Structures are given as C-alpha cells and as structure tokens.
Amino acid sequence: MKYCKVFLKPKKEESLLRFHPWVFSGAIQSVEGDPEEGDLVEVYGANQRFLAIGHYQIGSIAVRVLSFTPIPIDDAFWIERIRIAYELRKTLRLAGVENNNTFRLIHGEGDNLPGLVIDMYAHTAVMQAHSVGMHYARHQIAEALKAVLGDTLQNIYYKSEATLPYKANLGSEDGYLFGGEVEDIAIENGLKFCVDWQKGQKTGFFVDQRENRSLLEHYAKDRSVLNMFCYTGGFSFYAMRGGAKVVHSVDSSAKAISLTKKNVELNFPGDPRHEAYAEDAFKYLEKMGSNYDLIILDPPAFAKHKNVLRNALQGYRKLNAIAFEKIKPGGILFTFSCSQVVSKENFRLAVFSAAAQSGRSVRILHQLTQPADHPVNIYHPEGEYLKGLVLYVE
Ligand code: SAH
C-alpha cells in the first residue's frame, strides 16, 4: 500500500522519537501527495527517516499516530490492538468476571488507538470515533471486536455524531453496526445499571468513576448523602449498599433523574431512603440546610478549552465553597473535576481557596484519579483528566 508522506521540519521529530502520538500542523515542512482528512499517512524526519504511520487530520493536530514502526494497518492490526486491550481488562478483573461486565475497552491514546473510545456494557460495545480516520475504520474495528470478544459481544452501537470533527461534514448517523435494539443491564461491582447509550450522555454511562464510587461505599454507613450531578445515580447506589441513612440525588436533567429512579428500582426496589430531584446544582445548594454529612460533587467539565480556564476555576471554587459551608461537622466531601485542561494543581488550588473561605478545618483523606481501564499512555500525559479529592471537614 502506498501512502502520502508527511515530512517534518528540522528538529521537530523530537516528540515522535519520544513516542508522543500527535504531530502538530506547525511541525510539518511538506506533504507529498494530497492526503484527505482520515487517510493513513507516513511521517518522516530528517534524512528520510521513517517515524510513524497514522491518521491525517485537518486542524492543529495533523496526524494521530497508530504505529511508530512501518507495519500495515490491516485487519490483523486492529485485532491485535483490541486483543491487547481486552487482555488488560481481564488482568484488571473487569472483564470475564461474574460481578462486573462494564468497563472501558479502548481509551484512545491510552490504548495506542488515538481518536477511538469503546465502552462495554454487558453484551454491547458502544464505539465513539473522535477522528475521521477512526470513522473510516469503523467497520474494520467492528469486525475486530467480534473476532476478539466472540460470543460475549452481541451488539455494537456506533455513536459519533457529536464527537467527529464538525467541519469534516461526514453526515455520520448514530446506529447499530451489529446486532440491534436491546436493553442490556450493565453490572458494575455487582450493582445493576440500565444504560441508555442511544439518548444518554457520552457513551451512556460514566465508567470512569467505578473505583471512586467503591471508595464512597466504604464511607457511607449511617450518613446522610447528597449526590450532586448524579446523572444515572452511580454514587447513590454504592452509598445505599454501604448503609447510608438517606441518599438524595440531584441533577438538572429530568432525563437523568428518571434514569436514576429506574436504577434505584433495579437495585433497591421500594427503598424509602432514596429521593431524586431535578434541579440546578447552585439553586439546590444555596437553599439546602446543613443536613448532609457526605457530599459528592461531580460536575460536568467546567472548562473544555484553555481560554475559559479562569472561569472554570472560579466555578469549582464557588461550588466547593457552598459545600464546605454547609456540610455537617465530621462530614466527608468527594469533589471532582473531569476537565482535561484543569491541572491537578489548579483544581487543588480552587478547592483550597474554597476551604479557606469557609474557615473550616479540612484534611485530605484521598487523592483520586481515573481507573486503570482509562490508562494514561506514559508518553501522552495529556491523557490524564479525572481528578478528585476526598476531604474530611471538621
Ligand atoms: N456523577 C455522575 C456523572 C456526572 S456527569 C456519575 O457518576 O455517573 C455531570 C452531570 O451534571 C450530568 O448528568 C448533567 O446533566 C449534570 N449537570 C450539568 N449542569 C448542571 C447543573 N447546573 N446543575 C445540576 N446538574 C447539572
């Protein structure tokens, strides 16, 4: 197969030699051939040295690297990458076990497949392409998934309308690439979840909070819990299983609240400890009393771009300040940021200043991050995005 070639400017090969999986457009000297967005291209450095092969893109990231050695990107390639990822999830005891069938199978750069996300919910894979190259490869990827997962896999739902570059104008429509209409019950650490991958946010569920929810369960006994930004109610069921006295789930989306209620019924039918409210977070926090002694704040990404970082940090500060002010003495606060552009240090600073504002004595019990099925490629530190703190408030 003959590919178009991308030649880098002198000295711009450093990052690829250190296995960083992106080529920025500013690093390119010339392009041989006339690649279209989504095509496979080869990248060369000085003296015609082969550096990488990857998907060509229009934008500031010009190539997303699939391999640093000159191998064919064929069926065997996709099978091998997915096989390696699946083996890792088995090693993590997330796949092929009885009490869990919900995990991230492919986490982009973290699984050496930049631009691709695949989450597994029982027998359904939800595939999300973030690049045109991955969009073009979707059928090959679907075949590879079938080959690796065998009978475990009954449906593949492709959900990329919202994640593909808008300007590429691909007219991609969400839908099944394999199987079809099902309502699969996902199991996470023995708890059941109804996942709405068609209409829900992201791939339908926030798999990345699994371990943090487990930790919460450990602290829930006899506590009054507020799960703010609850979405499908993840943290709430762990709190209930952990023996919480009451659990209140709040989200501004009525759809999220109805999913939460459905999931409560699946796990704890008729349990009077749980109540759910469709309300804005700030409104609820302002008017609530000081009855909670375990609060979870897991807001959506306040900053999606660097230029709104300041506002985002203010947002985190304000949100946490109300929680510090109102949480009962001896209370525990689980607070998160999933904004990739907000660094761990910045998030900590925002939470610190909120704590100082409240004048309460606050100690850090745990520093949390994303779980192992969202691995961070050591050569791509940008892959780290989830940050959390568990705080003890006197
Ligand atoms: N904690 C959840 C994930 C939270 S995602 C889990 O474990 O699955 C963020 C949620 O915040 C979304 O469900 C979104 O509907 C909700 N949200 C966004 N803005 C909000 C606001 N102003 N007030 C309350 N909820 C909000």
Side-chain angles (χ1 to χ4, degrees), residues 201 206 213 229-232 235 251-253 279-281 298 300:
Q201 302 175 38
F206 287 83
R213 292 179 188 128
F229 308 98
C230 67
Y231 187 38
T232 51
F235 282 100
D251 198 289
S252 58
S253 149
E279 224 178 305
D280 174 75
D298 184 23

Side-chain angles (χ1 to χ4, degrees), residues 83-187:
R83 191 191 61 76
I84 292 170
Y86 190 46
E87 286 305 316
L88 175 61
R89 275 60 182 181
K90 285 199 230 164
T91 301
L92 299 173
R93 307 216 29 89
L94 295 172
V97 291
E98 209 162 276
N99 71 339
N100 196 84
N101 60 22
T102 304
F103 54 90
R104 178 152 292 191
L105 175 59
I106 302 290
H107 184 60
E109 285 81 358
D111 284 291
N112 296 314
L113 290 172
L116 182 66
V117 163
I118 300 176
D119 284 336
M120 285 299 302
Y121 304 116
H123 304 291
T124 303
V126 181
M127 190 199 300
Q128 203 162 58
H130 293 253
S131 69
V132 179
M134 286 298 179
H135 173 70
Y136 290 154
R138 66 195 182 284
H139 294 294
Q140 248 180 323
I141 297 168
E143 289 309 310
L145 275 173
K146 288 192 228 169
V148 174
L149 298 175
D151 291 344
T152 317
L153 184 70
Q154 288 164 16
N155 312 287
I156 302 175
Y157 189 72
Y158 184 63
K159 188 177 189 185
S160 304
E161 260 176 50
T163 54
L164 282 166
Y166 165 72
K167 285 189 190 137
N169 216 353
L170 295 165
S172 167
E173 281 181 17
D174 295 345
Y176 288 94
L177 298 179
F178 172 56
E181 292 309 316
V182 278
E183 196 176 280
D184 234 354
I185 300 294
I187 300 175

Side-chain angles (χ1 to χ4, degrees), residues 222-277:
D222 294 330
R223 290 192 180 258
S224 297
V225 181
L226 171 63
N227 180 9
M228 181 53 77
F229 308 98
C230 67
Y231 187 38
T232 51
F235 282 100
S236 303
F237 319 123
Y238 282 77
M240 291 172 82
R241 191 167 68 177
K245 218 160 42 186
V246 291
V247 179
H248 292 166
S249 305
V250 180
D251 198 289
S252 58
S253 149
K255 230 188 276 166
I257 290 301
S258 92
L259 265 173
T260 296
K261 286 183 176 161
K262 197 166 167 183
N263 285 329
V264 171
E265 280 311 300
L266 264 180
N267 293 285
F268 304 96
D271 195 320
R273 292 177 297 160
H274 185 263
E275 307 259 5
Y277 305 99

